[in-house]
Amino acid sequence: MPRNKVKLALIENESDRKVSYKKREKGFFKKAHKLRTLCDAEIAAVIDSPYNNEPTVFPNYDVAINTFVKF
Amino acid sequence: MPRNKVKLALIENESDRKVSYKKREKGFFKKAHKLRTLCDAEIAAVIDSPYNNEPTVFPNYDVAINTFVKF
DNA sequence: TTCTCTATATTTAGGAC
DNA sequence: GGTCCTAAATATAGAGA
């Protein structure tokens, strides 16, 4: 976004995509954490990507299971 | 954040909290959507809050199930 | 409540090391 | 690969209707 706008489509260049992924993953979990803390919300999230060996879970396995079971 | 910084703690006033929740829920799903589209990532998320009757699922039930099963 | 507005906090693309 | 930087895009607190 800064320096240049980015169109909402797959980033073709693989190393650019990985760099973007790492930044956005961090931002995403930060937003999740704030939403959870500031407001009174339970949040569970899983991201599965080529850039992590294992799926990444927010905030942790147990809370995620408990939250997912609800829907 | 704009107008004023906000400290990372539960927003005490309930109507302020609800207003903030609604804005942040929207932003959160938008970030999830961009991360999924720009980078090559599967994302599943569930939010359970006092402000929605049902837990809200991203991006939809089937994808969420498939993603959650992986971890 | 639920919308709009907008000033300001936050995120991030593109670099340089 | 991972820092750190910084300009510019984006998200949002607070206000007002």
Side-chain angles (χ1 to χ4, degrees):
Chain A
M1 299 128 184
R3 304 297 181 168
N4 277 321
K5 246 185 165 165
V6 124
K7 66 175 201 271
L8 192 56
L10 184 70
I11 296 166
E12 296 294 343
N13 183 282
E14 201 164 321
S15 62
D16 288 351
R17 190 162 72 239
K18 179 170 185 172
V19 168
S20 182
Y21 176 82
K22 284 296 180 187
K23 289 180 177 180
R24 285 177 174 278
E25 180 193 63
K26 183 181 168 195
F28 180 71
F29 286 134
K30 193 168 177 182
K31 288 291 183 193
H33 178 239
K34 283 192 176 174
L35 180 50
R36 202 164 96 98
T37 306
L38 295 172
C39 311
D40 185 25
E42 268 189 75
I43 304 181
V46 172
I47 307 184
D48 185 33
S49 82
Y51 314 115
N52 289 115
N53 299 333
E54 307 276 314
T56 309
V57 184
F58 175 91
N60 60 59
Y61 186 88
D62 289 339
V63 172
I65 287 286
N66 287 336
T67 304
F68 262 77
V69 159
K70 294 186 178 173
F71 85 96
Chain B
M1 300 124 182
R3 303 299 181 167
N4 276 322
K5 247 182 165 171
V6 122
K7 66 176 199 273
L8 192 57
L10 184 71
I11 295 166
E12 296 294 342
N13 183 281
E14 201 165 320
S15 63
D16 288 351
R17 190 162 72 239
K18 179 171 185 172
V19 167
S20 182
Y21 176 82
K22 285 297 179 186
K23 289 180 176 180
R24 286 177 174 278
E25 180 193 63
K26 184 182 168 194
F28 180 71
F29 286 133
K30 194 168 176 180
K31 289 289 184 194
H33 177 239
K34 282 193 176 174
L35 179 51
R36 202 165 96 98
T37 305
L38 294 173
C39 309
D40 184 26
E42 268 188 76
I43 304 181
V46 173
I47 307 184
D48 185 33
S49 82
Y51 315 115
N52 289 115
N53 299 332
E54 307 276 314
T56 309
V57 183
F58 176 91
N60 61 57
Y61 186 87
D62 289 339
V63 172
I65 287 287
N66 286 337
T67 304
F68 262 78
V69 158
K70 293 185 179 174
F71 86 96

